[in-house]
Amino acid sequence: MASNSGVEFRDFFPSMVEKLGGEGFIDELCNGFRLLMDSEKRVITFESLKRNCAAVLGLKGMDDEELMCMLKEGDLDGDGSLNQMEFCVLMFRLSPDLMKGSRMWLEQLVREE
């Protein structure tokens, strides 16, 4: 899948879940959140996303409009930023295969508890 800037998104999440298991995958999403967040505000802001997306995500071609769209897509409470839960939900929503398999992985996590 390609964005307007020509950045291609390859969905590696399903293979990560297979390798790491459900809990390990969630831990990795949380690590990703911490890399992108504003360390003082403890949320992902437009500024922190812009500052970190090229270095952390390797997405050098994303413009401000695309970054704002990402924030708006995941901002469930309307505060203009992403907390950790909103970020994880957004990552699941961006992965069609994870959305299909999310019930199976949720059941696996419940069994592991």
Side-chain angles (χ1 to χ4, degrees):
M1 170 180 7
S3 71
N4 291 338
S5 64
V7 175
E8 187 171 320
F9 173 74
R10 296 187 74 200
D11 189 0
F12 293 107
F13 289 168
S15 61
M16 288 176 67
V17 171
E18 283 183 36
K19 289 180 184 178
L20 301 172
E23 189 173 330
F25 177 70
I26 295 297
D27 288 344
E28 284 303 308
L29 284 181
C30 292
N31 288 337
F33 170 80
R34 285 189 288 279
L35 290 172
L36 294 171
M37 75 177 189
D38 179 300
S39 59
E40 292 178 14
K41 296 178 181 176
R42 312 288 296 165
V43 294
I44 296 173
T45 63
F46 171 76
E47 293 80 16
S48 70
L49 184 59
K50 184 173 182 168
R51 180 177 55 250
N52 297 319
C53 80
V56 174
L57 301 176
L59 300 175
K60 296 176 179 129
M62 293 190 76
D63 61 29
D64 288 357
E65 184 177 337
E66 289 173 308
L67 295 174
M68 278 309 281
C69 284
M70 280 180 65
L71 277 176
K72 287 178 184 176
E73 179 75 24
D75 183 13
L76 301 175
D77 61 11
D79 67 355
S81 62
L82 300 179
N83 61 37
Q84 185 169 291
M85 182 59 71
E86 290 171 324
F87 175 76
C88 290
V89 168
L90 177 61
M91 293 298 99
F92 266 81
R93 288 176 53 206
L94 290 175
S95 174
D97 290 335
L98 279 185
M99 289 299 290
K100 290 177 193 171
S102 61
R103 181 178 176 91
M104 176 186 68
W105 293 308
L106 179 61
E107 290 170 356
Q108 176 187 352
L109 280 172
V110 170
R111 281 192 304 269
E112 290 173 1
E113 292 284 314

